[in-house]
């Protein structure tokens, strides 16, 4: 068994497709299929159920996948540890980042970090907040930026942002001229909301239910804050966005109103407890936490 075979199998499991995995690995589809078949023969069990469009992981495949992640993770940690022993700040740092956060804060932060540490390459992948958390736990990323709360039994948490969420209302709406709106008064309103893969979806829905006993009526879902605000301006519903995003809005047909009780938006860098964090990773955490975004 070769480590490369396990890496290939992890990619197929990730994309649930030999074709997509082969594209990501930059190898031919027949070569990838041959490698997986050889792994199955060596282990004496079927790892994948292949169909025309997708590849489904078997129960045995899930066992192999769990060990493959541990083994490749240990190899990665070994390489990082050896690299750190050279005392050279070089290498690559894999970061998971929700799109909302990336567009708001990180272009400036990345530029400053690059100027300070030009030999560290930042490899950024944009996922929804919930998927970032899962990917850090599964060690796909060395670190991620997540919306709190997360399970602090699993993750180290380094807070970087805390601000309130605000209500976006069309200017012709009855609530538009209020300075603040109580959540209980929004029971009959329709909302432009975040997709389920975004942590804010669950956070806001839970907040509504806990404080007012209902969940918001969701008319449309989006992953783009500019589209969400434009839909509010078009009088399609209300929305709730962090203050930093609201400060960037230029729509003339929207009023921004405070919510009571306040919903806070808390961001943090997270790492998995027990995982070795490279010197480059620790340097990035110190850099971003020191100035706070």
């Amino acid at each position: 068994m070769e480590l490369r075979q396990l890496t290939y199998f992890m990619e197929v499991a990730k994309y649930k497709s030999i074709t997509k995995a082969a594209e990501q690995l930059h190898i031919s589809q027949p070569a990838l299929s041959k490698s997986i078949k050889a792994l199955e023969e060596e282990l004496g069990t079927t790892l994948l159920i292949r169909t025309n469009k997708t590849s489904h992981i078997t129960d045995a495949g899930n066992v192999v996948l769990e060990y493959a992640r541990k083994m490749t993770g240990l190899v990665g940690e070994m390489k990082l540890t050896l690299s750190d022993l050279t005392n050279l700040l070089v290498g690559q740092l894999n970061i998971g980042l929700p799109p909302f956060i990336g567009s708001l804060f990180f272009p400036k932060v990345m530029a400053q970090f690059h100027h300070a540490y030009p030999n560290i390459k930042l490899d950024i992948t944009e996922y929804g907040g919930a998927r970032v958390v899962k990917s850090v736990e599964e060690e796909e990323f060395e670190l991620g930026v997540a919306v709190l709360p997360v399970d602090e039994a699993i993750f180290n948490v380094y807070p970087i942002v805390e601000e309130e969420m605000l209500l976006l209302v069309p200017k012709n709406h009855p609530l538009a001229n209020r300075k603040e709106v109580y959540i209980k008064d929004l029971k009959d309103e329709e909302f432009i909301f975040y997709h389920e893969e975004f942590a804010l979806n669950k956070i806001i829905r839970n907040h509504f239910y806990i404080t007012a006993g209902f969940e918001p009526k969701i008319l449309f879902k989006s992953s783009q804050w500019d589209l969400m605000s434009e839909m509010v301006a078009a009088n399609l519903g209300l929305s709730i966005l962090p203050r930093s995003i609201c400060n960037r809005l230029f729509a003339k047909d929207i009023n921004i109103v405070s919510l009571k009780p306040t919903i806070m938006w808390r961001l943090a860098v997270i790492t998995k407890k027990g995982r070795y964090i490279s010197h480059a990773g620790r340097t990035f955490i110190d850099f971003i936490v020191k100035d706070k975004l």
Side-chain angles (χ1 to χ4, degrees):
M1 184 188 306
E2 299 179 3
L3 186 64
R4 181 185 63 211
Q5 290 175 298
L6 296 177
T7 301
Y8 286 178
F9 177 64
M10 289 169 59
E11 285 296 297
V12 176
K14 178 179 178 181
Y15 292 102
K16 295 181 173 59
S17 167
I18 288 180
T19 301
K20 291 181 180 178
E23 291 174 355
Q24 294 297 317
L25 292 166
H26 304 292
I27 63 173
S28 69
Q29 185 174 333
L32 179 56
S33 295
K34 183 178 179 180
S35 175
I36 299 298
K37 185 66 175 176
L39 181 62
E40 289 178 321
E41 290 176 353
E42 181 175 351
L43 295 175
T45 187
T46 301
L47 305 179
L48 296 173
I49 303 296
R50 300 161 178 82
T51 64
N52 290 335
K53 294 184 178 180
T54 60
S55 297
H56 300 284
I57 309 300
T58 65
D59 290 342
N62 282 320
V63 172
V64 173
L65 181 61
E66 180 180 351
Y67 279 96
R69 285 171 175 158
K70 291 178 181 178
M71 293 164 70
T72 55
L74 286 171
V75 171
E77 287 187 14
M78 178 186 70
K79 291 179 179 178
L80 286 173
T81 303
L82 292 172
S83 176
D84 283 353
L85 286 175
T86 66
N87 217 13
L88 297 174
L89 227 54
V90 296
Q92 179 171 302
L93 187 58
N94 297 315
I95 303 173
L97 192 64
F100 267 46
I101 300 168
S103 61
L104 275 177
F105 304 114
F106 271 76
K108 182 179 179 181
V109 171
M110 297 305 177
Q112 292 173 341
F113 186 80
H114 176 69
H115 288 310
Y117 305 98
N119 294 322
I120 298 177
K121 178 184 176 183
L122 299 179
D123 186 359
I124 299 170
T125 302
E126 288 191 318
Y127 287 159
R131 188 173 174 188
V132 168
V133 172
K134 182 176 177 60
S135 296
V136 172
E137 182 178 1
E138 293 178 348
E139 302 190 12
E140 178 182 352
F141 305 131
E142 186 174 346
L143 58 88
V145 177
V147 179
L148 299 179
V150 296
D151 188 346
E152 295 192 27
I154 299 175
F155 302 102
N156 299 304
V157 176
Y158 307 92
I160 52 176
V161 169
E162 182 176 60
E163 61 183 46
E164 67 177 317
M165 306 286 293
L166 300 173
L167 180 69
L168 276 64
V169 183
K171 276 205 169 178
N172 60 355
H173 193 282
L175 299 175
N177 294 322
R178 291 198 192 180
K179 290 185 177 180
E180 60 186 32
V181 172
Y182 284 85
I183 290 175
K184 63 182 178 61
D185 296 330
L186 299 174
K187 186 174 183 178
D188 297 323
E189 300 296 337
E190 294 180 320
F191 283 85
I192 318 299
F193 228 61
Y194 313 89
H195 283 298
E196 285 83 354
E197 67 174 11
F198 288 83
L200 280 174
N201 178 294
K202 184 177 180 180
I203 289 171
I204 296 176
R205 284 170 45 221
N206 287 347
H207 196 87
F208 271 52
Y209 188 79
I210 291 170
T211 60
F214 69 93
E215 289 197 9
K217 297 178 181 178
I218 302 172
L219 187 62
F220 297 107
K221 296 176 186 177
S222 175
S223 60
Q224 304 295 323
W225 60 265
D226 52 347
L227 176 59
M228 294 169 72
S229 64
E230 289 169 5
M231 294 175 82
V232 173
N235 206 24
L236 291 172
L238 312 185
S239 193
I240 299 172
L241 292 171
R243 179 178 290 278
S244 294
I245 293 177
C246 293
N247 291 340
R248 293 189 174 200
L249 299 179
F250 300 103
K252 297 180 180 179
D253 298 323
I254 291 177
N255 278 9
I256 299 172
V257 183
S258 293
L259 275 171
K260 298 297 178 183
T262 303
I263 304 175
M264 297 303 296
W265 190 50
R266 298 181 175 92
L267 305 180
V269 176
I270 62 170
T271 61
K272 184 179 180 181
K273 285 187 174 179
R275 173 177 177 169
Y276 176 82
I277 302 301
S278 67
H279 189 38
R282 296 193 299 272
T283 299
F284 182 81
I285 292 170
D286 291 342
F287 184 89
I288 196 171
V289 171
K290 178 182 178 181
D291 294 329
K292 303 276 185 176
L293 293 178

